[in-house]
Amino acid sequence: MNKLEQFCVSLLKNCKNLTSLQQFHAHALKTGLSADPIVAGKLLLHCTVHLSDTLDYARRLLLHTSNPDVFMYNTLIRGFSDSDTPHDSLSTFTLMLNNLDAPPDSFSFAFTLKAAANLRCFRTGAQLHCQALTRGLDTHLFVSTTLISMYAECGCLSFARKVFDETPDPNVVTWNAIVTAFFRCDDVKGAEKVFDSMPLKNLASYNLMLAGYTKMGELEYARRVFEEMPVKDEVSWSTMIVGFARYGCFDEAFGYFREIQRVGMRPNEVSLTGVLSACAQAGALEFAKILHGFIEKAGLVWITPVNNALTDTYSKCGSVDMARLVFERMPGKKSIVSWTSMIVGLAMQGYGEEAIGLFHEMEESGIKPDGIVFIAILYACSHAGLVEQGCNFFDKMAEVYGIKPAIEHYGCMVDLYGRAGQLLKAYDYITNMPIPPNVVIWRTLLGACSFYGNVELAEQVQKRLSELDPNNSGDHVLLSNIYAGVGKWKDVAIVRRSMAEMKMTKSPGWSMIEVDKVMYTFIAGAKQDDVTKEAYRKLKEIMTRIRVEGGYVPEVMNVLHDIEEEEKEDAVITHSEKLAVAFGMGRLSEGSVVRIMKNLRVCKDCHTVMKLISKVYRLGIVLRDRSRFHSFNDGVCSCKDYW
């Protein structure tokens, strides 16, 4: 490379966007340097690898380059293989075969095979394998390693294993690829055997095992490998935090995050978003505040995904004001994820009008809504009872933005009608959908039938569900609940007997509360420990007081057994969310807001109890159930008794 070429390449490194790149390209055309193969190749490489949203420009560069070489084609193939349009990688490979006299090399096949893997197209991958075989490149390490990954992505473990066995001298990267292949195909034991037989392991090998185990939910195995690792990096810690959080092991996820700081390692974007996700799922507001302080102190507020995670966490912890603060103070231009997170946060807590206002503000900022944003705004309309506005947004999605409704959007519309009590309209909407309804849509309507006590329609919906998903216990439980709510105990018995014959079990209800940065979980009817006994003692005192001062009468129709009224009262009084709020009231300082997270929908009796507690004790309670937030203050709920 001569001095002029070196100077041009150094200038190219300073091109940070398409505009500056075009200026450089214009200069190269004017001076004749664009014809230099080194400069042309570096220009193409910079366009495809170092800049975003410039692949179309890179394609035009290649097409207008006289005598492009294999390197240039490979560069564009590589760029497309990692993009949202990997099929363009395949078309570029075909173009190279047709236009280039020189044969494709190992990089050509490796990059194109990666595109086939991302497309999960077995036929294309097998054709590329045949071409590599005829050219004698199939045993090249780079090609064979990518072949293993391609076959694994297509679910063909036997083919991946055969390629590995035929590789003459596999290196550690090839060994890692076959380990990943076994995990991709859900063969944990096979992955373990390969890992144990590896002649040489590197840090990536251990991290792959951690990722595989945590993805499969084998958390104890992941813990064992983590403890055995000779060296751990940011990926190792992040994998453990995200993996444990995914499966609801929040205390362990928090523990690993604390350990990162104890060993002196700086948390990265992945570990921060992972532990914030754990806070969001657990409703751990106090721990989230500590993390927020750490992020501010460490100067990480400029990272958009971290700010998005903070917004989402505060929203899901019931602190919409803090979510707003993070959103408004977010540096730089907000991404579409930022807007979506805030809209969902407002929607979950019943601020439908504010969510709609924010949507319009996003439009005015120049951000084009996508399908996910429309799910969020339809969700907001549904939870606020804004039926007309929801219908308008659904129409606007296709008519204004050209977004074809997906099954999730139709599900939102069914939920919109169902929550508003328009059950027959929801049923007609489902039967006239242009795409077949799935179990989620029918289940949404079944939930609405349960709330409004429509037995006849519920039976029709359950019939459809039994055809699509006959082994789902939740559907049978919901139908049983509907029968019990209207006193049809014989029908309840039939449903329960059917469940017993099919060996179905009901998912237990549990509630979680954070006290002094420790998470406590309560399950009704579970074995009592000291914490549970403390909760029961406090709950007994609370129930006595709200009976006397609040006029509480148990809504025993929520107890779905044909038993005596007194037994029903005992059953309904000890629901998990009541235990959690009682424990929180006994432990938290005066004036604190009690925040609870429940895995199921709150029943009517518990909802009434929360309102009475907030009124009698002048206490703020935030309860997040499976469906939405309920904020109780002075005897009033934010949902206005609208589920």
Side-chain angles (χ1 to χ4, degrees), residues 266-267 272 294-304 306-307:
R266 181 184 173 90
L272 281 169
F294 170 82
I295 290 165
E296 294 271 1
K297 188 176 179 180
L300 300 173
V301 289
W302 59 271
I303 304 176
T304 301
V306 173
N307 277 294

Side-chain angles (χ1 to χ4, degrees), residues 119-151:
L119 288 167
R120 290 174 174 79
C121 184
F122 172 79
R123 182 177 179 182
T124 300
Q127 289 173 340
L128 288 166
H129 189 180
C130 290
Q131 286 221 24
L133 188 67
T134 59
R135 298 174 190 273
L137 293 171
D138 59 307
T139 56
H140 189 287
L141 269 179
F142 197 17
V143 176
S144 60
T145 301
T146 318
L147 274 169
I148 292 167
S149 300
M150 182 275 296
Y151 281 125

Side-chain angles (χ1 to χ4, degrees), residues 510-632:
W510 53 260
S511 297
M512 189 178 290
I513 185 170
E514 180 189 24
V515 177
D516 294 331
K517 305 175 190 64
V518 177
M519 304 306 301
Y520 294 90
T521 303
F522 295 91
I523 304 172
K527 185 179 179 181
Q528 292 191 27
D529 54 15
D530 291 341
V531 168
T532 311
K533 289 177 182 176
E534 179 184 336
Y536 271 109
R537 285 194 298 270
K538 184 65 178 178
L539 180 60
K540 185 177 180 181
E541 170 202 313
I542 293 168
M543 300 308 293
T544 301
R545 185 171 170 184
I546 65 172
R547 280 179 189 272
V548 175
E549 298 182 33
Y552 167 67
V553 177
E555 295 192 37
V556 294
M557 64 183 296
N558 285 283
V559 182
L560 309 173
H561 305 288
D562 189 11
I563 57 178
E564 296 299 322
E565 292 297 307
E566 188 175 341
E567 293 177 88
K568 287 184 178 183
E569 289 188 20
D570 289 339
V572 80
I573 283 172
T574 56
H575 281 183
S576 64
E577 56 266 56
K578 292 189 180 82
L579 291 170
V581 77
F583 181 76
M585 289 171 67
R587 288 283 189 99
L588 292 169
S589 58
E590 188 175 346
S592 298
V593 175
V594 178
R595 300 176 187 275
I596 307 159
M597 199 268 284
K598 182 177 172 64
N599 68 324
L600 304 176
R601 181 177 284 194
V602 61
C603 75
K604 290 184 179 180
D605 183 77
C606 287
H607 195 264
T608 299
V609 167
M610 299 299 167
K611 289 199 296 184
L612 289 173
I613 291 174
S614 72
K615 182 177 182 179
V616 171
Y617 285 86
R618 298 187 179 280
L619 178 70
I621 303 172
V622 176
L623 170 60
R624 184 180 112 202
D625 68 9
R626 184 181 61 188
S627 178
R628 64 172 299 155
F629 270 94
H630 303 268
S631 298
F632 302 91

Side-chain angles (χ1 to χ4, degrees), residues 44-74:
L44 192 64
L45 181 67
H46 193 79
C47 200
T48 54
V49 176
H50 301 295
L51 297 181
S52 59
D53 302 324
T54 52
L55 283 173
D56 285 337
Y57 191 79
R59 192 209 308 261
R60 293 197 297 272
L61 276 175
L62 179 69
L63 293 175
H64 287 88
T65 299
S66 58
N67 303 317
D69 56 18
V70 174
F71 172 81
M72 292 181 184
Y73 276 103
N74 287 350

